[in-house]
Amino acid sequence: MATNGGQWALDPSGLPGGAWAPTGRAHADPAPKPGTVPLRRLDASDILRGVFATARRYPKPLYLPLLALAFGSAVLLGGCVCAAWFLATHGTAHGGRPLTSHLSGMITAGAVVLVPALICATIAYAVTATVSITVLGRHAVLGHRPPTARQVWAEARPYLWRVLGTQLLTSVAAVAVMVASMVPAILLGVLLHSLTALAFGLLLLIPGLLGAVYAGGRFILAVPVVVLENQRPAAAMRRAWKLGHAASWRTLGIACLTRMICYTATQLVMPLVGAVAARLAPSGVLDGSSSNPSSTPFTGLILPAAVVGLAAVSAAIVRAPLTPLTLGLLYTDRRIRLEHLDTGLAAAVAGTAGHGPFSVCPALSPGGRAGRPGGAG
């Protein structure tokens, strides 16, 4: 079996044996693995190993931006909580009926906390996804040395607004499918003037939910397309829809598997944290055995609450990049299966590629049509 520049083992037909040999060929050489995953079609175990290997090898560029974001969000939300407490406790100080004024203050206080929290969560996921996929595509898959957090942020920042736009479009698409499934039920109830007809029509929500999940599976690779192919949101969603053809349920399944592993690990750790917090709490407060719980000073509960809160935030930060890394590797696998991306990645590792490793080449794209070549990668 011949070799090609020390990078690929070639079979007699001239094809890279490690990448294209059918399963079970005894003489096929293993695929090259310059980075955290082998350059071949990836199964679920390859993807999971690649996710955790990337997190272990590149902790600083993955987690330092998240720590900075978490600190800023904590400061902002802390101020919002203080403002909400002030509004809730002083809601009756502005005239009007006490009950009405108090209710208005509570609603305003809730909005003061929930709206910034939702904005922070949206931005946090966008930053996490952009940074994680940048680390994966530009460094981890190619086997580069770990970059600095500042370098990764400089590479990821130009795509942040596009990622936010892609998240918005994906959410709108899923909601639109659900709403479309509700329209016949509402029309049926209105035209027949029957609540029973409306109730039976609501059964259409079941296929609507399945349709929304399916659409989510087809669009789930849109963010990696934005970051690695330098696409705009609408173009990225069209591209993700094509890449997800006949693989949306597999993609969703592997992404959910990663989430389940992270959730299980968190659930194993949190009871230990709860036990530590219980030992730090004043005696008899948490189990209700105290004769006068109201006499317990509030400061005695600050340390246990801080321990639980710190553990929960730390667990959220640790698992945050894992899902975007999974999506990045699922995107890489789809490109390898459909467009022979492994040859482009091998050329990039060897330094012979004339374009970015994730650029869409006309000769490799399905039907001979290329997407917009991106500068990313």
Side-chain angles (χ1 to χ4, degrees):
M1 189 173 292
T3 59
N4 182 16
Q7 294 295 324
W8 292 90
L10 303 180
D11 63 12
S13 65
L15 291 175
W20 302 109
T23 302
R25 275 181 58 176
H27 63 278
D29 291 341
K33 187 180 178 181
T36 54
V37 292
L39 301 184
R40 57 168 170 76
R41 298 184 179 192
L42 305 175
D43 56 28
S45 61
D46 292 325
I47 291 172
L48 290 175
R49 283 195 295 265
V51 167
F52 293 107
T54 302
R56 288 194 306 268
R57 186 172 180 181
Y58 301 88
K60 289 184 179 180
L62 281 175
Y63 289 109
L64 285 181
L66 299 188
L67 289 172
L69 182 63
F71 178 78
S73 299
V75 173
L76 175 62
L77 293 179
C80 292
V81 168
C82 293
W85 177 83
F86 178 82
L87 290 172
T89 55
H90 295 77
T92 60
H94 301 288
R97 291 184 298 174
L99 180 60
T100 304
S101 181
H102 183 68
L103 180 61
S104 175
M106 293 295 292
I107 294 174
T108 304
V112 166
V113 174
L114 292 179
V115 172
L118 180 61
I119 294 174
C120 286
T122 303
I123 294 175
Y125 181 79
V127 171
T128 302
T130 308
V131 169
S132 301
I133 294 171
T134 298
V135 170
L136 180 75
R138 289 179 177 265
H139 305 281
V141 171
L142 302 177
H144 293 170
R145 297 182 62 182
T148 64
R150 179 175 298 181
Q151 176 185 346
V152 168
W153 177 244
E155 295 171 351
R157 187 174 56 212
Y159 304 102
L160 183 58
W161 288 109
R162 294 186 185 184
V163 170
L164 283 168
T166 303
Q167 289 179 224
L168 177 62
L169 286 180
T170 304
S171 301
V172 168
V175 172
V177 173
M178 290 292 296
V179 171
S181 68
M182 294 172 60
V183 170
I186 296 173
L187 291 178
L188 189 64
V190 171
L191 293 177
L192 299 180
H193 303 285
S194 171
L195 292 178
T196 303
L198 176 61
F200 277 106
L202 290 177
L203 292 176
L204 294 174
L205 285 176
I206 297 176
L209 178 60
L210 293 177
V213 173
Y214 175 76
R218 293 293 295 266
F219 290 133
I220 199 171
L221 300 181
V223 171
V225 171
V226 169
V227 177
L228 298 177
E229 296 184 18
N230 194 26
Q231 298 275 17
R232 295 188 180 278
M237 292 184 67
R238 291 193 297 268
R239 172 83 166 136
W241 185 268
K242 294 178 181 178
L243 289 176
H245 176 67
S248 57
W249 297 114
R250 175 182 183 268
T251 302
L252 274 176
I254 295 177
C256 290
L257 179 60
T258 304
R259 288 179 175 269
M260 289 176 59
I261 292 173
C262 298
Y263 177 79
T264 302
T266 301
Q267 293 306 306
L268 292 175
V269 172
M270 290 307 293
L272 300 177
V273 175
V276 173
R279 293 184 65 88
L280 295 175
S283 177
V285 173
L286 297 182
D287 57 8
S289 61
S290 176
S291 59
N292 189 11
S294 61
S295 64
T296 302
F298 176 74
T299 55
L301 299 176
I302 292 179
L303 182 57
V307 169
V308 174
L310 182 61
V313 171
S314 300
I317 291 175
V318 168
R319 67 174 182 258
L322 301 184
T323 297
L325 290 175
T326 303
L327 298 182
L329 289 178
L330 286 167
Y331 161 84
T332 303
D333 172 65
R334 292 304 297 163
R335 290 285 307 274
I336 289 174
R337 292 173 185 268
L338 298 176
E339 302 174 0
H340 316 334
L341 179 65
D342 46 356
T343 57
L345 294 174
V349 171
T352 59
H355 49 74
F358 288 94
S359 297
V360 182
C361 301
L364 300 180
S365 58
R369 291 181 296 177
R372 278 185 53 201

